[in-house]
């Protein structure tokens, strides 16, 4: 197969693994609504880095790293659940409003901290690496052969581009309707988003409790 085909396959994998709505999607939408397109993308890029790491681990078949991750599921889930509960509680208790400058334009902020938070949310999700391993494992002849480092790098780059495209689309769509959103809507959105994040965290702990009981 050609490098272009590897890139296109990776691109599709990046979209498929990023599109399902999860905690990072919620956070990206929050910031796209609050402060516009760029801030939503900042959050998404944190998840892109995590997805790229997991894609590289899966496609290069780094056995030791994969075994470590498989052996630390409980610890990773405990940390991930705690992060979701903390960020969800913080968002629930935040009452944002769209600040404007003297010309009436929305004031933009840097969200590198939230990008890092999105990275840790994504990287502490053991299901993500399993998804990549399952997908790449199922590609068969459509994935680079063992030892084809260049082909593997191209496919990983395709995953990163696909995931980034998704976050750009989400942020652009949400920020397009920003002008119609007032502070009351933002407050409700924060409550909904905070609840969803805490619910994700609670579900992780419920799953851990069920696993321990069985």
């Amino acid at each position: 197969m050609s490098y272009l085909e590897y890139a296109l396959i990776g691109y599709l994998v990046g979209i498929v693994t990023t599109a399902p709505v999860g905690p990072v999607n919620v956070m990206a939408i929050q910031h796209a609504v609050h402060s516009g397109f760029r801030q939503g993308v900042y959050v998404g890029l944190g998840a892109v880095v995590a997805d790229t790491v997991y894609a590289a681990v899966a496609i290069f078949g780094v056995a030791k790293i994969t075994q470590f991750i498989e052996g630390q599921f409980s610890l990773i889930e405990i940390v991930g659940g705690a992060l979701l509960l903390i960020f969800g509680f913080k968002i629930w208790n935040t009452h944002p409003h769209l600040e404007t400058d003297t010309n009436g334009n929305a004031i933009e902020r840097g969200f590198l901290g939230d990008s890092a938070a999105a990275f840790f949310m994504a990287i502490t999700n053991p299901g993500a690496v399993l998804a990549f391993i399952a997908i790449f494992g199922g590609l068969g002849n459509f994935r680079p052969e063992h030892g084809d480092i260049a082909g593997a790098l191209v496919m990983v780059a395709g995953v990163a581009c696909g995931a980034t495209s998704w976050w750009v689309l989400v942020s652009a769509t949400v920020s397009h309707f920003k002008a119609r959103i007032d502070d009351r809507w933002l407050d409700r959105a924060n409550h909904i988003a905070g609840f969803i994040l805490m619910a994700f965290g609670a579900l992780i702990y419920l799953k851990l409790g069920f696993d321990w009981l069985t």
Side-chain angles (χ1 to χ4, degrees), residues 63-76 126 130:
K64 290 185 178 180
I65 297 178
T66 302
Q67 289 171 2
F68 170 78
I69 293 172
E70 290 179 345
Q72 302 295 327
F73 275 164
S74 294
L75 177 59
I76 291 174
L130 290 181

Side-chain angles (χ1 to χ4, degrees), residues 22-146:
V24 180
N25 280 272
V26 173
M27 183 179 287
I29 291 171
Q30 279 284 102
H31 290 303
V33 168
H34 292 171
S35 303
F37 169 79
R38 184 183 300 175
Q39 281 65 31
V41 173
Y42 281 166
V43 174
L45 289 178
V48 170
V49 174
D51 287 344
T52 302
V53 170
Y54 275 153
V57 169
I59 199 168
F60 282 103
V62 184
K64 290 185 178 180
I65 297 178
T66 302
Q67 289 171 2
F68 170 78
I69 293 172
E70 290 179 345
Q72 302 295 327
F73 275 164
S74 294
L75 177 59
I76 291 174
E77 288 180 331
I78 289 172
V79 173
L83 285 174
L84 292 179
L85 291 173
I86 292 170
F87 288 124
F89 183 76
K90 179 180 178 181
I91 289 175
W92 176 279
N93 286 283
T94 300
H95 304 282
H97 62 279
L98 297 176
E99 298 178 9
T100 58
D101 57 24
T102 55
N103 296 320
N105 299 315
I107 297 174
E108 294 187 350
R109 303 178 180 82
F111 277 92
L112 295 180
D114 288 307
S115 182
F119 169 80
F120 284 111
M121 281 185 181
I123 206 72
T124 54
N125 177 14
V129 69
L130 290 181
F132 280 114
I133 291 174
I135 291 173
F136 286 127
L139 287 177
N141 294 330
F142 292 99
R143 68 174 183 270
E145 296 181 0
H146 180 70

Side-chain angles (χ1 to χ4, degrees), residues 142-191:
F142 292 99
R143 68 174 183 270
E145 296 181 0
H146 180 70
D148 185 0
I149 297 177
L153 288 174
V154 168
M155 187 168 281
V156 171
V159 171
C161 290
T164 301
S165 297
W166 172 257
W167 295 116
V168 169
L169 175 62
V170 168
S171 299
T173 301
V174 172
S175 61
H176 177 72
F177 297 99
K178 178 181 173 181
R180 304 180 186 179
I181 299 171
D182 57 17
D183 288 355
R184 184 179 300 176
W185 192 97
L186 289 180
D187 200 43
R188 289 197 299 267
N190 256 16
H191 284 163

